[in-house]
Amino acid sequence: MASSANGPRRVTIDDVARAAGVSRQTVSRALNDKGEIDASTKQRVLDTAHELGYRPSRFARGLVRQDSISVGLMIPDLLNPFFTEVAAAALEAARKRGWHVVVYDTGDRVEEERGTLEVIASQVDAVVGYLSLPEGEIDKLIRGLPAVLIDREHRAERYNAIRIDGEAGVHAAIRHLADAGHHRIAMLDHAARSEPSIRHHWFATAMAACGLEPVAVSRADQSLEGGEHALRELLAEHPDVTAVFTFNDIIAIGALRAARRLGRRVPRDLAVIGFDGLQLGTLVEPALTTVALDTRELGALTIEQAGRLLARSGPLSHDEAAVKAELRLRESA
């Protein structure tokens, strides 16, 4: 993979020509199996292209129309309603462009993500979605494909990202709890990664801004059962906790179930605030207070950013490529 001052870039036909010591036209003939060059030169070009990781651009070859663009959408867990909503929004936005989208569920496992990228690199025109691998490894696996990373900053020049900006929303949530008289506040963070989440950072800074110290930050699997189990353990160790902020709505709904089974009245005995803004949160009792994202906007911006990469036009700006999360007050806090 060639590189620039800003990081890895896509290997071009000119790079192959320079490395093989032939003209651009000779490379084109070799790659397109034209008969105007001798066999040894053709093999040298093909070997060089392989060594450099060159992937012919269907756009450069004029083979792609808008209605034949194929995008691979990487989702960590389609059983999580939030990711289902994001996928549906991306599919809707792509459909309006006439694009084809193939959805891949990686099960939130790095090895599955790695294997999927290896398989789809030659089958799609761009990769979008949730990728946890380091960008250097992604670059090797997708061999020059443009990529749009959701809920992640990016550094490589060919990549773009759609950020989730939840800091103000989380600060509003903690301020709401503090104003309601809660001082014993804990968080249920995710357990999928070894390091604390960015939402934990937002929670910690919001607590500090309110002059409070978190009672505890526990880990929870991103499931109803995970939220229920984590809250039971949290309250067993810290029974004086009066409010909980959770990594996402699924964990929060599990916490609501645990609170009910433990005889804790919500929000009188225990306030619960989630993060995501799932429609499911309106169906539980009491309705879930949450820091809500617009999943339709998230999906639409992801496809818009992919379109700009494919067209080699300017990406959305840092601010334009951010989806802000806002506190949505309901009954649980």
Side-chain angles (χ1 to χ4, degrees), residues 136-216:
E137 186 171 358
I138 294 172
D139 217 39
K140 292 178 181 177
L141 291 168
I142 65 178
R143 301 191 297 276
L145 282 179
V148 178
L149 314 179
I150 300 178
D151 195 12
R152 176 173 168 177
E153 297 291 345
H154 70 287
R155 290 174 296 277
E157 63 176 2
R158 283 187 301 94
Y159 301 158
N160 273 300
I162 301 300
R163 299 181 300 107
I164 290 177
D165 183 358
E167 185 167 14
V170 174
H171 276 244
I174 302 306
R175 173 56 65 186
H176 169 73
L177 292 175
D179 289 346
H182 294 283
H183 300 105
R184 303 291 293 168
I185 305 172
M187 179 181 179
L188 299 181
D189 199 5
H190 71 63
R193 300 284 181 267
S194 59
E195 69 279 1
S197 68
I198 184 63
R199 297 176 192 182
H200 167 258
H201 171 72
W202 294 334
F203 168 74
T205 58
M207 290 287 288
C210 292
L212 301 173
E213 286 283 341
V215 175

Side-chain angles (χ1 to χ4, degrees), residues 212-288:
L212 301 173
E213 286 283 341
V215 175
V217 177
S218 300
R219 298 297 188 93
D221 291 335
Q222 296 187 58
S223 64
L224 295 176
E225 294 77 12
E228 182 172 4
H229 178 73
L231 186 72
R232 284 180 176 274
E233 288 196 336
L234 172 69
L235 293 180
E237 188 172 351
H238 303 282
D240 58 341
V241 165
T242 64
V244 175
F245 170 69
T246 68
F247 176 80
N248 62 19
D249 284 354
I250 290 297
I251 293 174
I253 293 170
L256 288 178
R257 187 165 66 182
R260 182 171 62 251
R261 292 176 175 177
L262 290 170
R264 296 276 190 122
R265 295 165 296 179
V266 177
R268 183 180 301 178
D269 302 328
L270 182 73
V272 178
I273 297 182
F275 190 109
D276 278 346
L278 295 180
Q279 288 298 315
L280 180 62
T282 66
L283 304 178
V284 297
E285 182 66 34
L288 181 66

Side-chain angles (χ1 to χ4, degrees), residues 271-323:
V272 178
I273 297 182
F275 190 109
D276 278 346
L278 295 180
Q279 288 298 315
L280 180 62
T282 66
L283 304 178
V284 297
E285 182 66 34
L288 181 66
T289 292
T290 184
V291 180
L293 293 164
D294 185 339
T295 53
R296 290 177 65 88
E297 181 186 12
L298 186 58
L301 285 177
T302 298
I303 296 302
E304 169 67 17
Q305 197 76 299
R308 290 176 177 236
L309 276 177
L310 288 167
R312 298 183 181 178
S313 59
L316 296 168
S317 70
H318 189 264
D319 290 337
E320 290 173 331
V323 178

Side-chain angles (χ1 to χ4, degrees), residues 53-103:
Y54 174 69
R55 181 179 184 273
S57 168
R58 298 201 298 143
F59 291 89
R61 289 156 56 194
L63 300 178
V64 172
R65 306 183 312 275
Q66 278 285 350
D67 62 0
S68 68
I69 292 173
S70 180
V71 175
L73 174 60
M74 307 283 285
I75 296 294
D77 182 9
L78 284 171
L79 293 178
N80 184 322
F82 173 77
F83 294 121
T84 305
E85 289 185 15
V86 173
L91 287 168
E92 179 185 8
R95 191 179 302 116
K96 291 178 180 178
R97 293 171 175 257
W99 291 6
H100 306 286
V101 178
V102 183
V103 181

